[in-house]
Amino acid sequence: STGTQKAAQEACGLPTDYYATSHCFADATHHTCCMLGPEARAYADASGNPIGTAAARAYKHLHGHDPDPSEPLPWCTCFGSLVCSAYASKFADTGIKFIFDPSGVGASTGGMAAVDVPRNPSCEAKARTFFDVTAHATPGVDVETSLYTD
């Protein structure tokens, strides 16, 4: 991790020296810092998107001990498929901490972030459109939600 990616990982509460988080805030879609509650983690794992387990492992790597199973854990979710807001609309213990655009809008401005993003998928979709990120599908998130545009 270097530069703005490392700063985003640290702000999210993710390790910066861990292979499983090396994609966070660096690829084309994993831009949302999502606080995943226990229900969302279990749902994700059971629906073919094992980010609940991944978040617990990342926490343990960073802190040296297992997380409290009742607490929300950070993970970088797919902004392109609105994973965090889809889970947040199902589970009250889950929400967006921030959305980071590593390249800036259209790679013209440098890194940018959106904070205080409401839990509604239409709000995350509006940010996705502004940051010019491609919509895509993710297991466990219905396609209508993933591909939502305003």
Side-chain angles (χ1 to χ4, degrees):
S1 298
T2 59
T4 56
Q5 179 197 16
K6 183 176 180 181
Q9 288 170 317
E10 289 172 348
C12 190
L14 294 171
T16 60
D17 63 344
Y18 183 52
Y19 179 77
T21 59
S22 64
H23 68 292
C24 295
F25 313 110
D27 67 7
T29 191
H30 293 92
H31 301 176
T32 302
C33 175
C34 188
M35 298 305 293
L36 295 166
E39 289 181 289
R41 293 194 307 270
Y43 174 84
D45 287 353
S47 66
N49 185 20
I51 61 175
T53 298
R57 288 178 179 161
Y59 180 97
K60 185 172 184 174
H61 178 83
L62 182 63
H63 298 283
H65 60 84
D66 288 326
D68 177 336
S70 67
E71 292 295 319
L73 299 177
W75 189 250
C76 60
T77 57
C78 289
F79 186 31
S81 55
L82 312 177
V83 169
C84 192
S85 58
Y87 292 171
S89 67
K90 293 176 185 282
F91 309 109
D93 60 358
T94 295
I96 297 170
K97 186 172 181 181
F98 63 85
I99 300 168
F100 180 70
D101 178 20
S103 60
V105 178
S108 64
T109 61
M112 295 178 62
V115 295
D116 298 323
V117 178
R119 334 165 38 85
N120 187 315
S122 65
C123 295
E124 192 175 11
K126 192 167 285 291
R128 180 180 65 191
T129 299
F130 179 77
F131 286 147
D132 195 25
V133 171
T134 302
H136 65 84
T138 290
V141 178
D142 68 86
V143 173
E144 190 171 316
T145 297
S146 291
L147 303 180
Y148 177 87
T149 56
D150 190 351

